Amino acid sequence: MIEPFDDTYFMKKALQEAEIAFEKGEIPVGAVIAIDNRIIARGHNLTETLTDVTAHAEMQTITAAANFLGGKYLQKCTLYVTLEPCQMCAGALYWSQISKIVYGARDEQRGCINLKTKLHPKTTISGGVLADEASALLKRFFVEKRNLN
């Protein structure tokens, strides 16, 4: 029997996606979606690359997972994302009926928790997984961006 991976394992994969975003000059947020101990979708922010304000890591990953599964509902799936989802992404996650959301760093200003965004009644959310690593990457990005301007 294969031992199940833990939340840290999947969040490390999401952090790898965030690093890819960082290298592209995107705000470094990454995400993966897993089902049955297997990653079925990966994504990172592409708002600058696609000149699309909706191209958040979560949105990219939701689309990839739905394509993989051949349907719009992500029941029995878990999203691992390095930053707490915003209202827009939380709304999309609501409609996807995803079972679980695990995030790294909190987004005190724009995150779905402080904004009291409703999630699907069957969705659970937890955070703080590798939060220090996710926060450090975001801080490094914004420090470097400020120093370039």
Side-chain angles (χ1 to χ4, degrees):
M1 181 175 154
I2 298 174
E3 288 295 315
F5 294 110
D6 64 3
D7 289 345
T8 302
Y9 170 83
F10 290 109
M11 190 60 72
K12 284 179 182 177
K13 299 300 182 184
L15 279 165
Q16 290 172 352
E17 289 295 318
E19 288 282 354
I20 294 168
F22 184 97
E23 291 166 13
K24 291 180 177 179
E26 299 277 357
I27 295 174
V29 177
V32 299
I33 292 178
I35 187 170
D36 296 329
N37 217 25
R38 177 179 171 207
I39 294 174
I40 61 167
R42 301 168 184 270
H44 52 270
N45 272 359
L46 289 172
T47 59
E48 299 298 326
T49 302
L50 300 177
T51 58
D52 179 356
V53 297
T54 69
H56 289 193
E58 298 95 323
M59 303 296 269
Q60 302 301 308
T61 310
I62 290 167
T63 300
N67 287 337
F68 178 88
L69 294 172
K72 62 185 177 180
Y73 297 119
L74 304 180
Q75 297 155 335
K76 299 182 183 172
C77 292
T78 301
L79 168 75
Y80 296 88
V81 61
T82 58
L83 182 65
E84 175 189 340
C86 70
Q87 250 182 332
M88 174 186 70
C89 294
L93 290 160
Y94 177 99
W95 291 112
S96 78
Q97 298 181 20
I98 197 154
S99 295
K100 186 176 178 185
I101 300 166
V102 179
Y103 65 86
R106 284 287 311 268
D107 185 343
E108 299 289 342
Q109 293 179 328
R110 293 175 199 86
C112 64
I113 293 171
N114 277 357
L115 295 175
K116 297 180 180 15
T117 307
K118 283 195 173 224
L119 295 171
H120 193 275
K122 294 181 180 174
T123 300
T124 61
I125 186 167
S126 61
V129 179
L130 299 180
D132 292 342
E133 293 86 338
S135 292
L137 184 59
L138 285 161
K139 286 175 187 164
R140 184 169 54 118
F141 174 81
F142 286 111
V143 164
E144 287 184 19
K145 192 144 186 88
R146 273 187 230 111
N147 289 337
L148 292 175
N149 295 330

